């Protein structure tokens, strides 16, 4: 059996699935679906533990056109689970090495590597793909790509709708989810499932550090602002991480604290959770299974827009108690093997895909400074450098420094002196391409 001169012996089992309709085949399924799979253009974000597994799975499933984007280089600590890399690859770009490895093992598969940050690419770049698969270790990066893909949707152009498949692992736990922008709940809708990490009191960091992590946070939060405040901290820049590591190490030595390392510095600053190879393999398999179903219509994907068994004629997703379609899969492997799939509802006040501002009750005698600090800990916000404005005036700019100096006088003022009850405030953060809108209720 040959197609276009290439032997398809490798894909005979896949062809068996794609040439015969199944019990759950989508109505759009039909002849020529193999060509649809081969022509699907997929973007994989991240070439680490999850990314390596995802790239391998996609190539072996018959996807021929893949791009991968990652700005990191290979560290020796990656070799125990990121199996596309070898000792000789240490120091090389992850994206390039992973792409070359897979293309050598799977002839006919073309993978383009991009060694850069996802923020370096524009909408035109992302518009060329059929779908995007994320294997990221950063909540901020997930939120950025989610907001971009939702913002790209043009209801008059079907090609502007790019499904987002997101995978994540944390030790023996993991999740996969599918987002159909503007149709299902997005990552921002689900943000409260990722609670912000507990903050260490500044007094502990500044005076009595007891753990190596305290020394790193001191360098990160306090010392950087004192000595390098004119430089925007980039946690993906090796020079910045090295500066933080050396600064934290010096402080640890002053207090007789052991254990500060470069890898720990990177993990604390980026909030990286140690990964386990088996969990990565399971979650990557789930993500690629969803990509396969979306590309071929051979079975329902996680992101069905109507829950199974519900009459499409009467289904209204905006009803308060309306069931949500299954779009989120949880895996727990630290106590036996457990998976659970459920529907996460779209939120009408989601700042990315919703159309209503979120209600926020604030004490009238709370200062603007206290309100700004609370945005870092609010599960639905998790903003590090928020700027606030109302319809009539700017309350505070976090950057650049010149604008910050002009508005920092408001930080000590009480909220009742800055705005009226029921007024809408717009919050922005340089890390996200979206606005967060709140209706402030003063008490």
């Amino acid at each position: 059996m040959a197609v276009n001169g290439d032997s398809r012996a490798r894909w005979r089992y896949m062809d068996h699935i794609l040439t015969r309709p199944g019990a759950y085949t989508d109505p759009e399924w039909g002849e020529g679906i193999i060509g649809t799979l081969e022509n699907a253009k997929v973007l994989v974000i991240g070439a680490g533990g999850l990314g390596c597994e995802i790239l391998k799975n996609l190539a072996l499933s018959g996807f021929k056109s893949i791009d991968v984007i990652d700005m990191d280089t290979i560290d020796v600590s990656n070799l125990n689970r990121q199996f596309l890399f070898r000792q000789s690859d240490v120091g090389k770009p992850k994206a390039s090495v992973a792409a070359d490895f897979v293309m050598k093992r799977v002839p006919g598969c073309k993978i383009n590597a991009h060694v850069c940050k996802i923020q370096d690419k524009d909408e035109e770049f992302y518009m060329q793909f059929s779908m995007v698969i994320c294997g990221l270790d950063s909540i901020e990066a997930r939120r950025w790509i989610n907001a971009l893909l939702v913002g790209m949707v043009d209801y008059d152009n079907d090609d502007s709708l790019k499904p987002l498949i997101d995978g994540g692992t944390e030790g023996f736990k993991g999740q996969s989810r599918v987002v159909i922008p503007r149709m299902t709940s997005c990552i921002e809708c689900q943000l409260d499932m990722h609670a912000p990490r507990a903050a260490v009191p500044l007094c502990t960091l500044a005076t009595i550090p007891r753990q190596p992590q305290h020394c790193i946070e001191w360098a990160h939060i306090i010392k950087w602002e004192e000595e390098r405040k004119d430089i925007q901290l980039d946690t993906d820049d090796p020079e910045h991480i090295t500066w933080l590591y050396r600064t934290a190490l010096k402080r640890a030595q002053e207090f007789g604290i052991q254990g500060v390392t470069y890898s720990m510095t990177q993990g604390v600053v980026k909030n990286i959770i140690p990964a386990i190879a088996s969990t990565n393999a399971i979650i990557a398999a789930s993500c690629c299974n969803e990509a396969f179903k979306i590309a071929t219509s051979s079975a329902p994907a996680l992101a069905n827009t109507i829950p199974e068994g519900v009459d499409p004629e009467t289904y209204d997703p905006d009803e308060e108690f309306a069931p949500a379609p299954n779009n989120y899969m949880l895996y727990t492997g630290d106590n036996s093997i457990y998976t659970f799939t459920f529907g996460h509802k779209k939120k009408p006040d989601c700042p990315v895909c919703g159309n209503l501002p979120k209600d926020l009750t604030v004490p009238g005698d709370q200062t603007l400074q206290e309100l700004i600090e609370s945005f870092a800990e609010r599960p639905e916000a998790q903003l590090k450098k928020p700027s606030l404005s109302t319809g009539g005036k700017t309350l505070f700019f976090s950057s650049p420094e010149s604008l910050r100096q002009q508005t920092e006088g408001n930080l000590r003022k009480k909220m009742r002196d800055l705005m009226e009850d029921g007024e809408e405030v717009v919050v922005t953060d340089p890390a996200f391409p979206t606005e967060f809108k709140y209706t402030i209720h003063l008490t």
Side-chain angles (χ1 to χ4, degrees):
M1 177 180 178
V3 177
N4 297 329
D6 294 330
S7 172
R8 292 198 59 90
R10 180 191 294 271
W11 317 114
R12 62 183 182 275
Y13 299 112
M14 201 66 70
D15 292 348
H16 187 70
I17 296 174
L18 296 178
T19 54
R20 306 197 312 183
Y24 298 101
T25 300
D26 190 273
E28 296 180 5
W29 186 93
E31 293 185 9
I33 208 68
I34 295 177
T36 301
L37 176 65
E38 294 179 348
N39 294 329
K41 192 172 176 62
V42 182
L43 174 65
V44 177
I45 300 180
L50 268 177
C52 285
E53 290 278 357
I54 290 171
L55 288 171
K56 176 262 295 182
N57 290 348
L58 290 176
L60 292 177
S61 298
F63 287 90
K64 300 292 188 181
S65 181
I66 305 170
D67 284 51
V68 59
I69 182 169
D70 194 307
M71 69 165 295
D72 285 346
T73 55
I74 300 166
D75 185 79
V76 68
S77 63
N78 302 146
L79 302 182
N80 70 329
R81 64 193 181 280
Q82 298 174 22
F83 66 96
L84 299 183
F85 309 140
R86 300 293 181 266
Q87 182 73 39
S88 59
D89 297 322
V90 172
K92 298 177 182 178
K94 288 184 177 182
S96 302
V97 174
D100 291 342
F101 189 103
V102 174
M103 285 191 291
K104 289 178 182 177
R105 295 294 294 270
V106 186
C109 178
K110 174 63 176 176
I111 303 180
N112 298 313
H114 307 273
V115 184
C116 61
K117 297 195 295 186
I118 57 175
Q119 294 87 347
D120 294 339
K121 299 295 186 180
D122 56 17
E123 283 192 12
E124 184 178 357
F125 171 80
Y126 292 102
M127 193 66 76
Q128 65 181 302
F129 299 103
S130 305
M131 67 186 78
V132 177
I133 308 178
C134 288
L136 292 163
D137 59 8
S138 166
I139 298 296
E140 288 80 4
R142 284 186 174 93
R143 296 173 69 183
W144 188 91
I145 189 65
N146 172 75
L148 180 74
L149 296 181
V150 172
M152 282 169 44
V153 174
D154 179 358
Y155 290 108
D156 295 327
N157 179 13
D158 291 342
D159 291 336
S160 66
L161 189 68
K162 311 297 179 181
L164 172 63
I165 304 171
D166 175 62
T169 64
E170 182 175 319
F172 285 102
K173 299 178 181 179
Q175 101 281 324
S176 64
R177 52 188 166 182
V178 178
V179 174
I180 306 297
R182 298 288 181 187
M183 298 177 67
T184 66
S185 67
C186 71
I187 288 178
E188 202 74 28
C189 291
Q190 306 163 11
L191 186 61
D192 53 5
M193 299 185 69
H194 302 275
R197 56 179 172 173
V200 179
L202 285 177
C203 59
T204 298
L205 301 180
T207 59
I208 49 172
R210 298 183 298 275
Q211 302 175 11
Q213 292 87 344
H214 293 169
C215 299
I216 296 170
E217 289 284 23
W218 173 82
H220 176 206
I221 297 174
I222 298 177
K223 207 60 177 175
W224 184 279
E225 286 296 320
E226 291 180 356
E227 298 188 8
R228 310 187 79 180
K229 63 180 181 180
D230 295 331
I231 303 175
Q232 176 73 36
L233 176 62
D234 184 352
T235 57
D236 291 315
D237 188 327
E239 189 276 327
H240 290 190
I241 298 296
T242 299
W243 188 92
L244 292 174
Y245 160 61
R246 291 174 177 170
T247 304
L249 180 61
K250 183 178 179 180
R251 182 168 178 81
Q253 292 170 346
E254 293 175 357
F255 286 86
I257 298 173
Q258 304 293 323
V260 174
T261 64
Y262 181 90
S263 59
M264 177 184 284
T265 302
Q266 192 175 39
V268 170
V269 173
K270 297 182 68 174
N271 196 23
I272 296 175
I273 306 297
I276 295 174
S278 59
T279 310
N280 285 337
I282 292 170
I283 297 303
S286 175
C287 290
C288 293
N289 191 39
E290 295 306 317
F292 182 85
K293 291 188 291 184
I294 291 174
T296 64
S297 302
S298 57
L302 263 181
N304 284 336
T305 54
I306 299 177
E308 185 177 354
V310 174
D311 184 356
E313 297 295 330
T314 60
Y315 176 61
D316 182 1
D318 295 327
E319 287 186 2
E320 183 177 359
F321 299 105
N326 288 343
N327 55 15
Y328 201 113
M329 188 278 285
L330 285 173
Y331 163 76
T332 303
D334 53 356
N335 185 12
S336 185
I337 298 176
Y338 174 76
T339 60
F340 175 63
T341 304
F342 68 96
H344 196 291
K345 291 195 68 172
K346 184 177 179 181
K347 295 183 178 179
D349 59 356
C350 172
V352 172
C353 68
N355 51 18
L356 296 175
K358 188 177 292 291
D359 289 321
L360 180 60
T361 301
V362 177
D365 58 357
Q366 184 181 67
T367 65
L368 179 61
Q369 174 77 53
E370 292 170 333
L371 175 63
I372 289 175
E373 290 177 350
S374 74
F375 282 117
E377 300 177 356
R378 297 185 64 84
E380 84 289 349
Q382 303 184 36
L383 306 177
K384 295 181 178 179
K385 292 188 175 181
S387 298
L388 284 75
S389 63
T390 64
K393 60 182 177 180
T394 298
L395 301 180
F396 177 72
F397 273 115
S398 63
S399 61
E401 184 65 24
S402 58
L403 294 178
R404 177 186 174 91
Q405 292 176 357
Q406 294 178 26
T407 56
E408 63 183 2
N410 288 335
L411 293 176
R412 296 181 295 275
K413 295 182 180 179
K414 296 181 178 181
M415 292 304 300
R416 67 163 60 96
D417 298 327
L418 292 172
M419 60 189 311
E420 301 292 333
D421 180 53
E423 195 170 354
E424 185 175 299
V425 63
V426 176
V427 185
T428 59
D429 190 291
F432 308 110
T434 190
E435 296 180 341
F436 301 82
K437 297 181 180 180
Y438 290 90
T439 299
I440 302 297
H441 301 284
L442 300 176
T443 60

